[in-house]
Amino acid sequence: MGSKVPAAENTLRVLRLLASRKSPTPAAMIAKLLELPRSSVYQLLNVMLEQGFIAHYPEEKAYGLGVSSFELSSAYTRQEPLARFGAPLIAQLVDKVGESAHLAVLHGADVLYIVEERAKGRPSLVTEVGVRLPSHLTASGRAILAALPKSQVRALYPGTSSFSSRAQDSGINSYQQLRRELDQTSKRGFAVERGDVTADFHSLAVEILDANGWPVAAVAVTFLGDRVPEDQWDPLLEQIRQTAAQLTSRIQGRRNSPVPVV
């Protein structure tokens, strides 16, 4: 049965398509992928362009998401659905592993911590809710960056001035060094940080993907390096992966839920 409001449905379909694409998309391709008449697509694009929900790239003759779409995304983040979904799962993770854990999202070239749960008897960490840290220094950030397209990462780190360090030497001071670290992260299936944020503390992290396969957050556990040596990481990683999988399932389930009639 077709929608009673086809223009509204097709507008949302266009926005969802553009959100899933890794580069601007020509109008003809949008029409083809959505199986819509070109004339209808151009009408929709013109309205969305006027309202700022999409942007036109004349040189590429293509369209991408605009500032108004970003503002909606930011509003979504402010409502903290990820934090609401993640808080009980992070608390359960801490109970299982006995170490502090947190949930972080990418915010520009930084990570923003939206959930932090400290394990009983463990020292306080800098990763408190609302704190931002350079993503390349953290396990959470590296997990997210490793799942992004290389072009996106390069745009976030255009030059050496983009790199900073809280420690004396983070070991990552250039895009080439970052790229090697992210490639290793992808290969091993999890991100690692050893004392780059706080001396003697290590972190392990796993990314969380939305329904389009885009990394929206990361779950991490932080611990004293001498308390959990590398040969004891496997049980810890298993719990982190389970938590990431549960949160992924909740996010994707919410995305497909119908809007209640009130």
Side-chain angles (χ1 to χ4, degrees), residues 146-239:
L148 286 174
K150 291 182 180 180
S151 59
Q152 183 80 13
V153 178
R154 194 67 173 107
L156 292 172
Y157 292 91
T160 55
S161 61
S162 306
F163 295 86
S164 62
S165 175
R166 291 175 58 91
Q168 291 184 348
D169 182 11
S170 69
I172 299 180
N173 301 300
S174 69
Y175 178 76
Q176 289 73 24
Q177 291 173 327
L178 176 60
R179 188 70 261 162
R180 285 195 293 271
E181 179 66 31
L182 299 184
D183 289 343
Q184 292 174 5
T185 297
S186 296
K187 184 176 181 180
R188 73 167 78 96
F190 62 91
V192 180
E193 177 264 310
R194 297 178 174 88
D196 292 333
V197 175
T198 303
D200 302 325
F201 281 88
H202 296 180
S203 295
L204 305 176
V206 175
E207 77 282 4
I208 297 162
L209 304 178
D210 67 11
N212 294 315
W214 194 263
V216 293
V219 174
V221 168
T222 299
F223 49 88
L224 282 167
D226 59 1
R227 179 179 173 84
V228 187
E230 190 167 347
D231 60 4
Q232 296 179 22
W233 283 2
D234 285 349
L236 193 57
L237 284 166
E238 177 61 25
Q239 294 299 328

Side-chain angles (χ1 to χ4, degrees), residues 28-245:
M29 180 62 70
I30 295 173
K32 180 179 179 181
L33 292 173
L34 297 180
E35 298 182 344
L36 293 173
R38 287 194 185 189
S39 58
S40 298
V41 169
Y42 279 111
Q43 289 174 2
L44 294 174
L45 292 176
N46 284 332
V47 172
M48 287 187 280
L49 191 61
E50 290 174 0
Q51 297 297 321
F53 283 95
I54 64 170
H56 182 228
Y57 299 88
E59 292 79 10
E60 302 176 57
K61 298 181 179 180
Y63 297 84
L65 293 180
V67 173
S68 294
S69 293
F70 174 77
E71 290 173 347
L72 281 180
S73 175
S74 298
Y76 179 83
T77 300
R78 288 195 298 271
Q79 292 173 13
E80 297 185 341
L82 273 170
R84 288 179 179 274
F85 285 142
L89 297 178
I90 296 297
Q92 292 171 21
L93 174 61
V94 171
D95 287 342
K96 291 176 181 177
V97 303
E99 302 291 348
S100 299
H102 49 259
L103 179 68
V105 298
L106 198 64
H107 193 281
D110 295 336
V111 284
L112 172 67
Y113 293 91
I114 60 174
V115 176
E116 199 270 343
E117 186 78 19
R118 184 163 64 92
K120 185 177 181 180
R122 299 291 181 269
S124 298
L125 303 172
V126 299
T127 53
E128 296 181 355
V129 172
V131 168
R132 288 172 52 175
L133 293 175
S135 58
H136 68 281
L137 296 183
T138 70
S140 298
R142 293 170 186 175
I144 297 171
L145 292 174
L148 286 174
K150 291 182 180 180
S151 59
Q152 183 80 13
V153 178
R154 194 67 173 107
L156 292 172
Y157 292 91
T160 55
S161 61
S162 306
F163 295 86
S164 62
S165 175
R166 291 175 58 91
Q168 291 184 348
D169 182 11
S170 69
I172 299 180
N173 301 300
S174 69
Y175 178 76
Q176 289 73 24
Q177 291 173 327
L178 176 60
R179 188 70 261 162
R180 285 195 293 271
E181 179 66 31
L182 299 184
D183 289 343
Q184 292 174 5
T185 297
S186 296
K187 184 176 181 180
R188 73 167 78 96
F190 62 91
V192 180
E193 177 264 310
R194 297 178 174 88
D196 292 333
V197 175
T198 303
D200 302 325
F201 281 88
H202 296 180
S203 295
L204 305 176
V206 175
E207 77 282 4
I208 297 162
L209 304 178
D210 67 11
N212 294 315
W214 194 263
V216 293
V219 174
V221 168
T222 299
F223 49 88
L224 282 167
D226 59 1
R227 179 179 173 84
V228 187
E230 190 167 347
D231 60 4
Q232 296 179 22
W233 283 2
D234 285 349
L236 193 57
L237 284 166
E238 177 61 25
Q239 294 299 328
I240 297 172
R241 289 186 175 115
Q242 286 184 16
T243 300

